[in-house]
Amino acid sequence: MKLFGANPSPFVRKVKVVLAEKNLQFEQEQTFTFAPSAEFKTISPLGRIPAFQDGDKTLADSSIISAYLERIHPQPALYPSDPYNYARALWFEEYADSGLAPIIATKMFFNKIVGPLMMKSPFDEALFRKAEQEELPPMFSYLEGELKGDFLVGNSLTIGDISIGSQFVNLLLSGVSPDAAKWPKLAAYLGRIHSRPSFKPLIEGDKKMFGIK
Ligand SMILES: N[C@@H](CCC(=O)N[C@@H](CS)C(=O)NCC(=O)O)C(=O)O
């Protein structure tokens, strides 16, 4: 199996965590979308990372790749069998991918770290501060209210936790974390999720890549 995509992408990280939780071996091509390989272009019709190859089968999109991996390697299950819990896990995946990502990945991480470093684009601090101070706090409060136990849904890790946890790594790399005094459950939850063996080495690698302590 081969994964195409650069490590700092939250969507690439999501798939890497799914692969790690399922203990699956894979190769990775560190594809950046501004310098795509010819092979990548043929398997990602929208030009987005991640893309994936399993023998002669190819797929694009982190949600689709994760769903495929669940079907071919069902254990440990990352999608609940209970219908409502299954839908709730998908909801948190959606909340991460289309709710958090445009704020954390684009207005904060790309704006502050990737743009200035790799694209020579200037850091827009006003955009960053508005995201941090106005747009994220209600989202933190929402997640705080949803956390009833160790995981967002049921009693085990789901695709919802992996998706949310992946976006929050980019927030960490941007130098921001939810204040534990205001959002204690969320802060503790993220600490737990990010210290899992599937997440921890990826976070250490990302920090090293950007020279973050
Ligand atoms: N829904 C997609 C989103 C992937 C995505 O937006 N990836 C970003 C990098 S973090 C990308 O490839 N952006 C380049 C573009 O949209 O052209 C997924 O889950 O894989």
Side-chain angles (χ1 to χ4, degrees):
M1 295 194 285
K2 186 168 172 183
L3 176 67
F4 295 78
N7 285 347
S9 159
F11 302 102
V12 172
R13 187 177 307 106
K14 190 214 283 190
V15 173
K16 289 186 76 169
V17 171
V18 169
L19 286 159
E21 290 287 344
K22 289 183 178 290
N23 203 15
L24 298 173
Q25 304 303 310
F26 63 100
E27 288 171 48
Q28 184 178 0
E29 180 189 280
Q30 288 287 334
T31 311
F32 286 88
T33 48
F34 47 81
S37 65
E39 197 182 5
F40 168 73
K41 280 202 225 168
T42 63
I43 65 171
S44 183
L46 295 174
R48 294 186 191 139
I49 53 173
F52 192 74
Q53 189 168 24
D54 181 10
D56 60 356
K57 304 178 188 78
T58 63
L59 293 167
D61 194 285
S62 66
S63 303
I64 284 144
I65 299 163
S66 300
Y68 171 74
L69 291 171
E70 178 81 359
R71 287 297 177 105
I72 59 165
H73 293 282
Q75 297 302 327
L78 299 173
Y79 295 74
S81 52
D82 172 79
Y84 184 58
N85 282 350
Y86 171 74
R88 292 271 296 160
L90 293 185
W91 159 246
F92 286 111
E93 180 178 29
E94 174 62 14
Y95 190 82
D97 293 4
S98 69
L100 294 174
I103 302 171
I104 294 177
T106 308
K107 295 181 185 176
M108 299 181 81
F109 180 69
F110 192 90
N111 172 25
K112 183 179 175 186
I113 313 276
V114 178
L117 201 69
M118 296 180 171
M119 319 284 284
K120 304 281 171 262
S121 55
F123 172 40
D124 182 341
E125 193 169 352
L127 185 75
F128 186 96
R129 294 291 162 223
K130 187 169 184 286
E132 179 190 12
Q133 291 163 11
E134 294 174 29
E135 296 172 48
L136 278 184
M139 303 184 93
F140 292 168
S141 297
Y142 169 68
L143 291 170
E144 179 80 11
E146 294 299 307
L147 280 162
K148 312 282 185 238
D150 283 354
F151 302 98
L152 280 162
V153 181
N155 297 318
S156 61
L157 186 81
T158 71
I159 192 66
D161 300 302
I162 295 174
S163 307
I164 298 277
S166 293
Q167 295 296 333
F168 272 95
V169 174
N170 290 82
L171 190 66
L172 197 74
L173 300 174
S174 308
V176 174
S177 295
D179 180 350
K182 286 190 195 152
W183 299 285
K185 287 195 223 163
L186 179 60
Y189 163 79
L190 291 171
R192 281 194 305 276
I193 296 289
H194 287 169
S195 54
R196 292 179 75 85
S198 54
F199 265 102
K200 201 163 183 266
L202 304 186
I203 298 172
E204 281 162 6
D206 289 337
K207 284 186 171 170
K208 204 166 157 200
M209 180 175 179
F210 294 106
I212 299 165
K213 292 266 177 278

